[in-house]
Amino acid sequence: MSVEQTHSWLGKAASIDDLAHYIVPLFSGVEKKNWKGILGHLQHHGMFKNIKEGIQTASKLKEKGFYEHIQKEEQYLKNKWHGPDVPIVTLPVDERNKRIRLEFGSKSGLAFQDKMFLFLSSNLDFASVSALITHEYHHVCRLDHLTKEEKDVTLLDTIIMEGLAEYAVYERFGRSQTAEWTSWYTPEQLQALYDKKIAPHQDIKRDNRLFSQLLFGKGYQPKMLGYAVGFNIVKKYLTANKANTADGLSIPAETFLSATL
């Protein structure tokens, strides 16, 4: 894996649009004319929106040694999970986004099978960055094991993937770095939420409007519904089978459901 020196990208940028020159080539098969869609997708998942603030944050990330820390973490996790080499793109987070600030602790990420994005505040400590990298790189490894095409990925596949990634954080750091949403509901509530809300729709795909509502708990759905239910299912399954998240990388999503019966 290579940690892209994105502080130098921002040092040469007059606007966020200038980042397309570096980012679009990471998306194989995407035409250059579609660069706005890619940048918009990254911003939707937490990338900064103000160029002046972004340049300042990127400079601080460099000054405080974040890039070196990320390099060490990726080497540790790659060895731990025998994972693939992927570029890691570190960019400032959108600190004006209240939801990211309050629910995700001023950090966010986005993982693909062949690349990983980290959106960070320069006010974070290294431990919280390690937790984010652990979560996102587990996604990379899980995606490397899946045989489904993206269009065929179901809600069940996704909540189990999210549950595994956050359980990897719990496994490594305990409660200190695990996301707050993992403790918002009791196990009994989570079982009931799975039965009532997730199970009837667990085979829907991303093109269904219910997908993101159930995954993130949007609208009238309980907050972080799919994430929390996925974490609970994964925790129950791995505990019952005396397994860990490294073992879980290749276990089909449907197999984890034995923990809900």
Side-chain angles (χ1 to χ4, degrees):
M1 286 187 281
S2 60
V3 178
E4 301 290 343
Q5 299 301 302
T6 49
H7 55 88
S8 67
W9 299 1
L10 280 153
K12 300 171 186 174
S15 72
I16 292 176
D17 295 352
D18 292 336
L19 297 180
H21 171 75
Y22 306 98
I23 292 173
V24 173
L26 297 173
F27 290 81
S28 59
V30 174
E31 296 183 29
K32 289 183 178 179
K33 65 181 181 181
N34 295 325
W35 61 270
K36 284 189 177 181
I38 290 175
L39 293 186
H41 184 63
L42 297 182
Q43 287 181 324
H44 178 71
H45 285 273
M47 189 179 84
F48 72 105
K49 295 178 179 177
N50 181 287
I51 187 63
K52 184 177 179 181
E53 292 174 3
I55 290 170
Q56 291 172 346
T57 299
S59 178
K60 288 177 184 176
L61 290 171
K62 170 64 175 173
E63 182 184 319
K64 292 182 177 182
F66 278 73
Y67 290 87
E68 290 81 2
H69 177 69
I70 292 166
Q71 187 78 57
K72 291 176 184 175
E73 283 293 296
E74 60 92 356
Q75 192 58 54
Y76 169 79
L77 292 169
K78 181 172 176 285
N79 292 336
K80 179 181 177 70
W81 293 327
H82 307 290
D85 287 314
V86 297
I88 300 177
V89 181
T90 305
L91 291 164
V93 73
D94 179 11
E95 299 193 58
R96 298 187 185 191
N97 186 312
K98 185 177 179 181
R99 185 164 178 265
I100 288 176
R101 205 167 58 244
L102 298 180
E103 294 183 18
F104 294 95
S106 295
K107 64 184 187 295
S108 185
L110 186 60
F112 299 85
Q113 186 176 351
D114 60 351
K115 54 190 163 287
M116 190 167 98
F117 290 85
L118 304 174
F119 306 121
L120 307 176
S121 164
S122 59
N123 295 320
L124 295 169
D125 56 33
F126 281 175
S128 62
V129 175
S130 295
L132 178 63
I133 298 169
T134 301
H135 182 107
E136 297 301 332
Y137 188 62
H138 197 279
H139 282 338
V140 171
C141 295
R142 174 75 171 167
L143 288 167
D144 195 50
H145 282 79
L146 290 180
T147 55
K148 287 186 178 181
E149 292 185 27
E150 187 176 355
K151 66 180 178 62
D152 298 321
V153 170
T154 66
L155 178 63
L156 178 62
D157 292 326
T158 305
I159 69 166
I160 294 301
M161 183 179 295
E162 294 297 346
L164 276 166
E166 198 58 27
Y167 197 78
V169 177
Y170 175 74
E171 206 172 57
R172 186 178 175 195
F173 299 106
R175 281 285 173 199
S176 66
Q177 295 300 331
T178 308
E180 289 186 12
W181 49 261
T182 60
S183 58
W184 285 354
Y185 310 102
T186 66
E188 293 76 20
Q189 287 174 322
L190 289 165
Q191 182 64 52
L193 287 169
Y194 168 74
D195 292 337
K196 183 179 179 181
K197 293 182 175 291
I198 300 294
H201 306 290
Q202 65 188 30
D203 294 324
I204 63 174
K205 313 293 197 312
R206 288 187 184 275
D207 58 359
N208 188 311
R209 63 180 180 81
L210 266 178
F211 189 100
S212 62
Q213 291 178 11
L214 293 171
L215 178 61
F216 296 105
K218 293 180 178 179
Y220 296 106
Q221 305 296 345
K223 283 187 175 181
M224 299 301 285
L225 170 60
Y227 279 67
V229 168
F231 181 83
N232 185 56
I233 293 172
V234 165
K235 184 177 183 180
K236 287 170 69 175
Y237 178 88
L238 294 181
T239 302
N241 290 276
K242 296 182 173 58
N244 57 37
T245 49
D247 302 320
L249 286 170
S250 57
I251 297 173
E254 292 77 13
T255 302
F256 285 91
L257 291 181
S258 64
T260 68
L261 302 176

